[in-house]
Amino acid sequence: MEKQQVNNDSMNMNYRTIGALFGALSALALIAPRPALAGNSKDWPTFGWNAARTGAPTAPMGVTAANVGKLHRQQVKIDGTVDASPIYLHGVRVKGKTHDVFFVTTTYGKTLAIDGDHGTVLWEYTPPAYQDIAGSEQITTATPVAGPDRQFIYAAAPDGMIRKLAVADGHVVWQTAITKLPSREKIASPLGYAKGHVIATTGGYIGDAPPYQGHVAILDAKSGKLLRVWNALCSDRHELIEPSACPESGAAIWGRAGAVVDPRTGNLFVATGNAAWDGKRYFGDAVIELNSDATRMLGNYTPQNTIELSESDEDVGSSSPVLLGHNLIAQGGKDGQIRVLDWSKMRGTTPHRGGASQHVPSPGGDDIRAAQALLQTDSATWLFAANDDGTSAWTLSDGKLHPRWHNDNAGTSPVVAGGLLFVYDPDGGLNVYDATTGRTITKLDCGSGHWNSPIVVDGRIAVTEGNANDHDTSGVLDIWRVEDSHH
């Protein structure tokens, strides 16, 4: 079940060179080769910067410890609350001119293109159902994703549709439904893009009102055709189903990173929320590996005490898997634990119940409901996590996570850039830390929110304000710039 006020993170990093991103989950691989950037090294095309959701760009982003305290903020008032992350494309053509552009999707499905230099709205798309759902509890907290051609973005709306929108003017190229019951099945997680596919997941709304099933939807990016559906419940059915047609409800896929893509293989990793688990047809409270088009399950895990966790709403589905490399996955949960999983032991369709190689207490022992950030330097692999009780950092060695620093500052999904860890405080403010020591560099002023998380790109920082559960139809995008000649 989703809480109403839940995200936390606070961190930052010093590193000399960011090398290869992170390990592929292949029995033969140690550390995966660095994935190619999508389109432009000055872009932030998806939640977490890349399809693996590391939150740690491998290119310089122009914000450093030397200049972060000198940035100027612009507050851009927008026509909706964005309880998610922006994305960004550098130097794209919009309305016949070249712009650096932030794209956001509001809780009621409006998608906006906002000029990075001036904060002006270049175009705004409003879904036809907007008037019927605005102000209601039927919302989305999904982040859009840009295609590698940089000419189109893909956005979700509470009407259950995924839409392909032209960067040039926001017109709809195609729209495809990924649920037959949008009033029950919520698109909460960010959209993904890999191998010509748009990847979307579904969950439920606050209260877990049945019927709904968490599922992974794979769409053809060119045509919009719904190619495949993997249902976490009634998983022997491979199409979009009426939720009431399955005997079980739940298994939400709503982690803030959504579906995580292995950059080496293209395989997908998701975590599901509380629901029935039998290791055959029902996969509630589980970590799942699917092949790139979701036609086959390649691996699975559920905790030994999955029944108790599901009954007490302390499942592992509140965050998304983190691919640590060396066949290891970190999976946070609502029980205040981060499990380290040796995925070489979890492969195949045989049910794998229990067998985590390590249990690490989350910050303050509280539940984890945000994405984690993963950084590889020349000398270490770092994991950062935050919740309402604080922010923590670990390094990976000998197959285990070892604590490095901790503070009591709450935060949401962190990102790492320029040696700094950026963590939005849902009570207001953006904490900036030295990533390897946890030393506070500064705290940038901004308003309160919920799932909101920053991006750091092209000499700019951007984060939204506001909480989707307030059901507002207005909001704020904060933009800080290294050079601010316009404001």
Side-chain angles (χ1 to χ4, degrees):
M1 182 190 301
E2 180 184 340
K3 279 186 182 175
Q4 291 208 6
Q5 187 74 18
V6 237
N7 264 11
N8 315 312
D9 294 29
S10 310
M11 330 165 190
N12 293 299
M13 295 203 111
N14 264 336
Y15 57 90
R16 298 170 314 200
T17 308
I18 303 181
L21 264 178
F22 65 96
L25 302 180
S26 160
L28 300 177
L30 292 180
I31 303 258
R34 178 188 302 181
L37 298 181
N40 189 305
S41 63
K42 294 183 178 180
D43 290 347
W44 194 291
T46 189
F47 179 91
W49 184 73
N50 57 11
R53 314 297 200 194
T54 60
T58 60
M61 288 301 179
V63 178
T64 66
N67 64 26
V68 68
K70 303 174 183 177
L71 304 183
H72 298 276
R73 177 177 64 146
Q74 180 188 13
Q75 290 183 289
V76 180
K77 294 184 178 180
I78 55 178
D79 195 14
T81 298
V82 178
D83 194 347
S85 168
I87 61 172
Y88 176 88
L89 295 177
H90 171 87
V92 290
R93 299 287 287 179
V94 180
K95 299 292 183 69
K97 295 182 179 180
T98 300
H99 297 267
D100 299 336
V101 185
F102 293 102
F103 299 91
V104 295
T105 296
T106 72
T107 54
Y108 296 113
K110 291 188 176 185
T111 295
L112 293 78
I114 299 167
D115 180 81
D117 287 325
H118 302 274
T120 52
V121 176
L122 301 172
W123 56 255
E124 178 174 314
Y125 170 76
T126 302
Y130 177 82
Q131 293 299 332
D132 296 329
I133 60 177
S136 75
E137 295 183 358
Q138 189 171 328
I139 58 176
T140 183
T141 53
T143 296
V145 65
D149 60 8
R150 309 174 74 244
Q151 296 181 33
F152 303 98
I153 65 168
Y154 305 84
D159 59 5
M161 295 286 184
I162 307 298
R163 292 179 173 88
K164 181 177 185 176
L165 305 176
V167 166
D169 58 10
H171 80 265
V172 178
V173 178
W174 54 251
Q175 60 181 17
T176 302
I178 64 162
T179 172
K180 293 188 175 184
L181 189 61
S183 63
R184 286 287 183 266
E185 293 187 335
K186 177 184 179 184
I187 308 174
S189 301
L191 303 185
Y193 188 105
K195 294 191 171 184
H197 296 157
V198 178
I199 306 158
T201 65
T202 65
Y205 288 86
I206 289 174
D208 282 341
Y212 77 86
Q213 285 85 34
H215 56 268
V216 179
I218 306 295
L219 298 89
D220 180 80
K222 185 175 181 180
S223 68
K225 181 181 179 181
L226 182 61
L227 300 174
R228 189 72 171 186
V229 176
W230 181 81
N231 294 296
L233 302 174
C234 292
S235 64
D236 54 339
R237 300 179 61 182
H238 305 299
E239 69 280 341
L240 208 58
I241 63 176
E242 292 284 354
S244 60
C246 181
E248 296 290 339
S249 180
I253 303 173
W254 64 285
R256 292 318 306 153
V260 174
V261 180
D262 181 332
R264 182 175 173 274
T265 65
N267 293 345
L268 311 177
F269 292 81
V270 295
T272 65
N274 47 286
W277 179 91
D278 65 4
K280 298 176 182 179
R281 190 173 183 233
Y282 301 124
F283 289 94
D285 188 26
V287 182
I288 301 293
E289 179 185 9
L290 305 170
N291 67 337
S292 61
D293 58 4
T295 56
R296 290 182 293 123
M297 189 177 73
L298 303 177
N300 69 94
Y301 161 84
T302 194
Q304 185 65 44
N305 59 337
T306 182
I307 295 175
E308 293 83 355
L309 291 177
S310 185
E311 289 177 347
S312 60
D313 193 24
E314 293 185 317
D315 51 275
V316 300
S318 61
S319 67
S320 303
V322 181
L323 312 186
L324 298 172
H326 305 279
N327 286 309
L328 300 175
I329 289 180
Q331 180 62 50
K334 286 189 249 176
D335 61 349
Q337 299 287 322
I338 298 174
R339 292 166 173 81
V340 178
L341 307 176
D342 181 348
W343 204 249
S344 66
K345 299 178 181 178
M346 306 297 172
R347 295 188 182 280
T349 57
T350 299
H352 297 107
R353 184 169 178 174
S357 58
Q358 184 186 15
H359 290 77
V360 178
S362 62
D366 197 7
D367 49 8
I368 292 183
R369 298 175 182 252
Q372 291 100 74
L374 180 75
L375 173 72
Q376 284 197 335
T377 70
D378 288 345
S379 58
T381 296
W382 289 79
L383 179 71
F384 303 91
N387 56 21
D388 286 338
D389 279 359
T391 300
S392 298
W394 299 264
T395 53
L396 179 70
S397 61
D398 299 323
K400 293 185 177 181
L401 293 173
H402 302 270
R404 295 298 298 268
W405 59 261
H406 170 82
N407 65 43
D408 295 331
N409 298 332
T412 62
S413 308
V415 300
V416 188
L420 304 176
L421 186 69
F422 298 81
V423 186
Y424 176 73
D425 183 341
D427 290 329
L430 180 62
N431 285 302
V432 184
Y433 306 95
D434 178 284
T436 57
T437 66
R439 178 176 61 89
T440 298
I441 303 297
T442 189
K443 185 170 185 177
L444 302 175
D445 184 45
C446 61
S448 62
H450 180 217
W451 295 128
N452 326 61
S453 56
I455 66 173
V456 182
V457 60
D458 204 10
R460 301 172 172 98
I461 303 170
V463 72
T464 61
E465 302 177 10
N467 185 337
N469 297 313
D470 292 336
H471 307 129
D472 289 335
T473 53
S474 63
V476 171
L477 171 67
D478 291 303
I479 305 172
W480 291 266
R481 301 179 180 87
V482 171
E483 295 180 2
D484 194 338
S485 60
H486 303 290
H487 306 282

